[in-house]
Amino acid sequence: MSRTPELVVANGTVVNSFGRQNAHIVVQDGTIVRLVPASEPVPEAERTIDAAGRLVIPGGVDGHCHVAQVTGRFRTLDDYKTTSTAALWGGTTTIIDFGIPRDAQETPLAAVLHKKELAQESRCDVALHGSVVSWDETVPWQLGQLAAEGVRSVKMYTTNRGTTMADGDTILKVMREMVRLDGLTYIHAEHDPIIADCTAQHADDGRIGIEHLHRTRPELAEEISVKETLAMAEYTGAPVYFVHQSTPGAVDLVAEARSAGQEAYSETCPHYLTLDDTVYGSAFPEWYACCPPMRSAETVAALKERLAAGAIHTVSSDHSCYDLSQKRERTDDIRAMPHGLPGVETRMPVTFTAMMESARNTVEDFVEVFSAGPARINAVPGKGAIAECFDADLVIFDPAEERTVDGGSLHMGTDFSPFDGVRLTGWPAVVVAAGRVVVDAGAFHDPGPVGRFVARNGFREHTTAPAATPATV
């Protein structure tokens, strides 16, 4: 005899990236087992949540988070318990973190295994990216071990010499290995010689404080690096994913490569869609220390146009949880202060608000960049759609509800938000992760360290497999 389902989310408007329908969602053992047309009676369940008048979307997949990250002498102030809790508050049910070597002694494999151990405290599901800083004869074996662990992407930086930067030889060799392993190459693209020279000139002129950050990392540096990296990806045949693109020129280069047949993807972040470089003249410019920096208002508007046109494939937080004491330690010298913004909790409302300002965008478009696209491109099985046999990761919200960001009341383990005081729509009202109701009625129901490590599929294996479509729901 079949068991009574554990949960039914009833009467909601179910919105996937490929369409919408009014349905009851039936959940058992953390999985969506049925979608029943809303015209039929609500199925019996141990618990029923009435979502009438609200939207139900797949739980968010944040493809770019830094948890407990050590860079130089700075360490972010979060751990997996903190970041995963904040993610769930913000409607994100899966995060993808990076195993970046902390120093020259830590290997790429050791960095990932360390993060995998820390992730046992997570409240939401976790996947991982690897990272390579320098090449040696052990790297192919290490990347093979990572693939066997379900870590099918590797991030490399084209800047940050002396810490995380990989040289061109390393990038090209790693790309070859990722093709062999059916993986995805992640790139932080900023041209290091240009940035180093521009920063040195500003330092010589005494203009090296945080208020000058945006002038030390010009748009050209990002776009030249994207162009060079695309050439290496074309040469090796490697799929390539560009993190936190901040200029329309960078996005256009990826779009041109895709039109020529390359597998290339553009990610941006909520702050690049909503904040411009006037923030560096504000009372608290240290709130906005990140790389790349905020761009001009004209660039922000053009980037939003690219998002509305579908040229940007994912919006990720690039969550990096420093606090103001760390930020303010060296505001006089951007070379000595930590860069990165807390954002895993605010990714949903900031992105939704920015996208709904354009008449060209739909909620389906939002679901694509918030959940479906990150899951598909990163080959995360069971994520990104509300469909039978997919994980029961669900977000219920009223698209008309507005709230004002209060940085002090968020849950990210820091004492500020770059969006403090901003009025936003698209906040989650109910969050279900793996079939568990973790957020409702303004409260968090801590499930404990139940987050699973998600082993990812091969890139081409996943992207060529049959996807969820309206026919399956």
Side-chain angles (χ1 to χ4, degrees), residues 12-23 25 35 54-59 352 362-368 371-372 384-387 393-395 397 399 473:
T13 300
V14 176
V15 185
N16 280 301
S17 62
F18 46 75
R20 63 179 67 192
Q21 67 176 131
N22 296 323
I25 306 166
L35 273 79
R54 294 183 288 180
L55 304 182
V56 189
I57 65 170
F352 187 81
T362 64
V363 180
E364 287 85 346
D365 295 329
F366 167 72
V367 171
E368 172 63 22
S371 182
I386 299 176
D393 298 336
L394 310 168
V395 179
F397 74 105
V473 297

Side-chain angles (χ1 to χ4, degrees), residues 44 70 76 99 126 150 156 158 177 251 277 321 330 421 456:
E44 183 182 355
V70 176
T76 59
V126 177
M156 289 173 288
T158 65
E177 293 301 313
V251 173
D277 60 13
C321 193
R330 288 302 305 274
R456 290 153 58 199

Side-chain angles (χ1 to χ4, degrees), residues 419-430:
F419 305 105
D420 193 68
V422 178
R423 193 82 172 158
L424 300 172
T425 59
W427 296 85
V430 178

Side-chain angles (χ1 to χ4, degrees), residues 4-10 25-28 42-50 54 396 429-432 435-441 443 445:
T4 301
E6 295 160 358
L7 176 67
V8 166
V9 177
I25 306 166
V26 183
V27 174
Q28 185 70 51
V42 177
E44 183 182 355
E46 294 176 9
R47 179 175 181 179
T48 300
I49 298 174
D50 187 6
R54 294 183 288 180
I396 304 172
V430 178
V431 179
V432 178
R436 302 178 184 89
V437 179
V438 291
V439 175
D440 72 342
H445 309 288

Side-chain angles (χ1 to χ4, degrees), residues 388-457:
E388 290 183 8
C389 300
F390 275 61
D391 291 346
D393 298 336
L394 310 168
V395 179
I396 304 172
F397 74 105
D398 177 354
E401 181 188 359
E402 293 187 346
R403 302 183 203 170
T404 299
V405 178
D406 176 2
S409 67
L410 296 175
H411 309 87
M412 291 184 284
T414 185
D415 54 359
F416 80 104
S417 166
F419 305 105
D420 193 68
V422 178
R423 193 82 172 158
L424 300 172
T425 59
W427 296 85
V430 178
V431 179
V432 178
R436 302 178 184 89
V437 179
V438 291
V439 175
D440 72 342
F444 182 70
H445 309 288
D446 189 349
V450 297
R452 300 163 294 184
F453 173 74
V454 182
R456 290 153 58 199
N457 296 327

Side-chain angles (χ1 to χ4, degrees), residues 62-70 80 95-102 106 108 111-116 118 126-132 151 153-157 185-188 241 243-244 267 316-320 378 456:
D62 193 337
H64 188 164
C65 288
H66 297 278
V67 185
Q69 181 64 52
V70 176
Y80 273 96
I95 60 173
I96 311 182
D97 185 21
F98 296 83
I100 300 172
R102 290 169 285 184
E106 187 172 44
V112 166
L113 294 178
H114 175 65
K115 283 296 187 77
K116 189 175 179 181
L118 295 179
V126 177
L128 289 169
H129 307 287
S131 181
V132 175
V151 178
S153 54
V154 169
K155 182 181 183 181
M156 289 173 288
Y157 294 76
T185 300
Y186 261 55
I187 296 290
H188 173 134
Y241 178 110
V243 298
H244 52 49
E267 168 198 281
S316 301
S317 67
D318 193 7
H319 174 78
S320 298
N378 286 289
R456 290 153 58 199

